[in-house]
Amino acid sequence: MEENKKTHWRRNDFRLKSLFMIVDGLQKSIKELEKNLTEIHWYDADWLMQETEPIYGLAFIAFQNYIIGSIADIDGTSQNKHAFFKKDRAIDGYAFTTIELITTLANYAKHKDEKLLQGTTTILDGFKLNYKDVIYLDEAAIFQGLDILDKDWDLFKIQDYVTVWRESLWISMECQN
């Protein structure tokens, strides 16, 4: 007779709806600003980047919150979050994972005008992302990181990635038991 396994109540992804609402709102904000490229004669790609960088930063903060909350759902705490960040595949050509990049970009967005912590700079350096003396925004860590994560800078694709990653953690926990 097959063993009847109960699904842990925290496996239900109650965080997903709010993440979707945040990402949807931020994506709509970006689309609205993109209209300025055709509607305002002096508005160019530099202006668009200037206005969207904090929006993308907010998205990374939302993803980081989702990732750390997911770890707490699985582990009961987020104290071992860095070990969970590693439970992902390394990005081709780099020593760090997609989850590490996402959480690092969130930390960058939150603290770029302050002294960044060594853990953040180590990962930014590992991806060769510019965070020192940024003059042109297309060379800034947020946009360079977006290029690595998704060439179209599609926040929904990044959202899909983190939700699949969350489920993979549960699956790996089941396999260990």
Side-chain angles (χ1 to χ4, degrees):
M1 181 175 239
E2 188 175 314
E3 184 181 326
N4 184 10
K5 292 185 178 182
K6 290 186 177 181
T7 301
H8 195 285
W9 68 270
R10 288 187 301 210
R11 186 169 183 174
N12 181 33
D13 193 355
F14 61 91
R15 299 174 185 283
L16 182 57
K17 183 173 183 177
S18 61
L19 179 64
F20 173 81
M21 291 170 55
I22 292 166
V23 170
D24 186 52
L26 295 174
Q27 195 75 39
K28 286 177 180 173
S29 297
I30 292 165
K31 293 289 182 210
E32 189 64 30
L33 289 170
E34 287 174 344
K35 290 179 186 177
N36 291 341
L37 290 169
T38 56
E39 295 175 0
I40 302 173
H41 76 281
W42 53 263
Y43 194 93
D44 60 12
D46 289 333
W47 277 104
L48 180 63
M49 291 179 117
Q50 183 74 31
E51 292 190 313
T52 59
E53 184 187 33
I55 297 171
Y56 283 113
L58 287 171
F60 285 115
I61 294 166
F63 294 138
Q64 181 186 53
N65 184 56
Y66 177 86
I67 289 164
I68 292 172
S70 294
I71 292 166
D73 290 345
I74 291 164
D75 200 37
T77 179
S78 62
Q79 287 181 323
N80 299 318
K81 64 186 175 189
H82 295 287
F84 281 90
F85 295 170
K86 288 283 189 196
K87 293 183 179 198
D88 187 24
R89 63 173 173 76
I91 296 175
D92 290 340
Y94 301 100
F96 298 100
T97 69
T98 301
I99 297 301
E100 287 175 302
L101 177 56
I102 292 168
T103 58
T104 297
L105 290 171
N107 288 334
Y108 170 78
K110 291 185 287 189
H111 304 291
K112 69 180 184 161
D113 295 324
E114 304 172 305
K115 183 176 182 347
L116 297 173
L117 294 176
Q118 183 178 358
T120 300
T121 60
T122 297
I123 295 174
L124 290 171
D125 289 339
F127 282 105
K128 298 177 179 69
L129 302 181
N130 184 24
Y131 59 94
K132 300 175 188 171
D133 302 320
V134 175
I135 296 171
Y136 301 105
L137 280 178
D138 62 333
E139 298 171 357
I142 290 287
F143 296 112
Q144 290 176 328
L146 279 164
D147 277 339
I148 293 169
L149 293 166
D150 182 72
K151 292 292 182 199
D152 297 324
W153 300 0
D154 186 336
L155 296 176
F156 288 113
K157 289 181 182 175
I158 300 169
Q159 175 186 284
D160 289 345
Y161 189 90
V162 298
T163 58
V164 168
W165 172 82
R166 174 191 166 99
E167 181 59 20
S168 75
L169 293 178
W170 283 103
I171 293 168
S172 72
M173 294 294 284
E174 287 174 349
C175 291
Q176 291 174 3
N177 294 335

